[in-house]
Amino acid sequence: MNEVEILNDSAAPPRLNGELVFEAPWQSRAFGVTADLVESGRFSWEDFRTRLITTIGAWESTDVHERPPWDYYTCWVQALEQMLSDSTLLDSSELDGRAFTYAQRPHGHDH
Amino acid sequence: MSSETDHHHQVDPRSPEVRTEALEDLLVEKGLVDRSRVDALIDRFENDLGPMIGARLVAKAWTNPDFRERLLADADAVLISEGVQGAEIEHIEVKANERGVHNVVVCTLCSCYPWALLGLPPNWYKSPEYRARIVREPRKVLEEMGLTLETETELRVWDSSSETRFLVLPEQPEGTDDLDLEDLARLVTRDSMIGVAKAITP
């Protein structure tokens, strides 16, 4: 047993300050899917990061009155979509179609 | 309102929730993503990775001058020899606070952060305000966050990138020389390792 394991119970855990790592389940899924794709070698964090910088930069350069409220993981998902499209892993029209289908589901069947 | 419309609450197909669900399902169907691996990755980032890992290194650096010197000179080698998971994918530099010098970390372009040592970054670290203002007016931002520095203290702002992530080695609070490693690590907060706070004085 190393010191990290000993300290895990006693030292400040990630949530000690009351801040959740993820604020909604979809944020953790978006993160986890990205991490899995990187770990399995589909693309690198660096490839993903350049697209994340682009989507964050696009939000920042949009007029204050025309942009949605700041949301980091919305930028993340946009970057992931771009990454999937650029690496031909997932076609954007296929994703649009599936998202449209899911949006039509009756309430109570949306999971 | 008819019962039919009751059953169809408005969901925007462009919302990130719906996009994410559609994207994960399609990737799973194509065999590109494995749900149990995704579950395990999320669990790891939510529960196993966090500031306690960085805090242990800081506490050890406080108590062991030789370790401190090696950590400041070549953090990557130290992290690997300490068995820090994920250390091999990030290049980390440790910047020590000392009398007259205070370090603070930002990622101006996105959210680069030493995951292996601190877990995932807090929301304020990713916010457009912090990323822009900590470079422009660091003293003021730190003051707003509750850290007032002496005017003669030199403030160094480190901009992270995918190549280099930074960890701040805060100063050891006075009067803590007789504490053991575990008690010292409790004084080392996440914010103190980003540089927006000092370590806790017990």
Side-chain angles (χ1 to χ4, degrees):
Chain A
M1 191 166 185
N2 63 30
E3 285 159 296
V4 174
E5 287 164 325
I6 295 165
L7 284 177
N8 266 346
D9 291 331
S10 53
R15 296 179 183 193
L16 191 65
N17 51 23
E19 192 158 16
L20 293 169
V21 176
F22 301 109
E23 292 178 310
W26 67 268
Q27 297 182 351
S28 63
R29 298 315 293 180
F31 176 83
V33 164
T34 312
D36 188 32
L37 289 163
V38 170
E39 289 218 336
S40 58
R42 303 290 175 180
F43 51 80
S44 67
W45 278 123
E46 178 55 23
D47 288 339
F48 177 74
R49 179 178 175 267
T50 56
R51 286 158 182 85
L52 183 58
I53 289 171
T54 303
T55 57
I56 290 175
W59 183 89
E60 287 175 339
S61 58
T62 303
D63 187 88
V64 182
H65 303 291
E66 304 199 350
R67 67 192 182 192
W70 165 253
D71 184 73
Y72 174 77
Y73 275 102
T74 297
C75 294
W76 183 289
V77 172
Q78 289 166 351
L80 178 57
E81 286 189 29
Q82 191 62 48
M83 185 75 246
L84 291 169
S85 166
D86 292 348
S87 54
T88 68
L89 292 171
L90 185 60
D91 185 65
S92 61
S93 61
E94 195 178 0
L95 178 57
D96 288 344
R98 182 66 65 96
F100 184 79
T101 305
Y102 284 179
Q104 301 302 307
R105 287 172 304 195
H107 184 53
H109 298 271
D110 50 354
H111 47 78
Chain B
M1 192 185 269
S2 73
S3 63
E4 184 63 21
T5 49
D6 279 346
H7 282 284
H8 284 81
H9 66 151
Q10 292 294 310
V11 177
D12 188 343
R14 293 164 303 174
S15 76
E17 293 94 323
V18 174
R19 307 292 293 181
T20 302
E21 188 189 1
L23 182 154
E24 178 177 354
D25 287 353
L26 284 167
L27 291 170
V28 167
E29 288 162 25
K30 292 173 191 295
L32 294 165
V33 156
D34 180 290
R35 264 192 238 284
S36 60
R37 285 201 314 253
V38 173
D39 293 344
L41 280 160
I42 294 169
D43 181 63
R44 187 173 142 223
F45 274 90
E46 283 191 317
N47 300 309
D48 299 342
L49 290 180
M52 61 280 184
I53 298 173
R56 177 183 67 93
L57 294 173
V58 169
K60 195 166 174 181
W62 285 346
T63 56
N64 182 336
D66 174 58
F67 181 81
R68 176 192 157 97
E69 201 172 308
R70 285 190 292 123
L71 187 65
L72 294 176
D74 187 356
D76 294 338
V78 172
L79 266 43
I80 288 166
S81 71
E82 290 286 305
V84 173
Q85 272 188 27
E88 66 285 351
I89 59 166
E90 299 178 338
H91 170 56
I92 289 171
E93 287 185 22
V94 179
K95 302 294 177 187
N97 287 345
E98 50 199 83
R99 188 173 289 278
V101 178
H102 184 88
N103 298 281
V104 61
V105 179
V106 65
C107 174
T108 54
L109 291 178
C110 51
S111 50
C112 294
Y113 191 72
W115 287 357
L117 298 176
L118 299 182
L120 292 175
N123 278 328
W124 57 260
Y125 184 85
K126 301 177 287 190
S127 72
E129 293 79 16
Y130 178 76
R131 291 188 288 109
R133 291 187 57 219
I134 195 72
V135 178
R136 223 169 42 224
E137 42 184 3
R139 216 167 273 274
K140 184 151 181 265
V141 173
L142 291 180
E143 214 165 289
E144 287 168 11
M145 295 178 89
L147 176 62
T148 305
L149 297 171
E150 290 161 357
T151 42
E152 60 270 28
T153 298
E154 183 195 340
L155 195 44
R156 296 179 185 159
V157 181
W158 299 93
D159 191 1
S160 316
S161 66
S162 61
E163 290 80 37
T164 308
R165 318 287 170 106
F166 298 98
L167 184 88
V168 174
L169 176 61
E171 285 183 282
Q172 181 172 357
E174 283 179 24
T176 57
D177 286 349
D178 53 348
L179 294 184
D180 64 18
L181 217 50
E182 196 175 326
D183 285 337
L184 283 173
R186 287 203 192 92
L187 309 177
V188 187
T189 61
R190 176 197 68 197
D191 288 1
S192 74
M193 292 181 281
I194 302 175
V196 298
K198 294 191 174 189
I200 298 167
T201 303

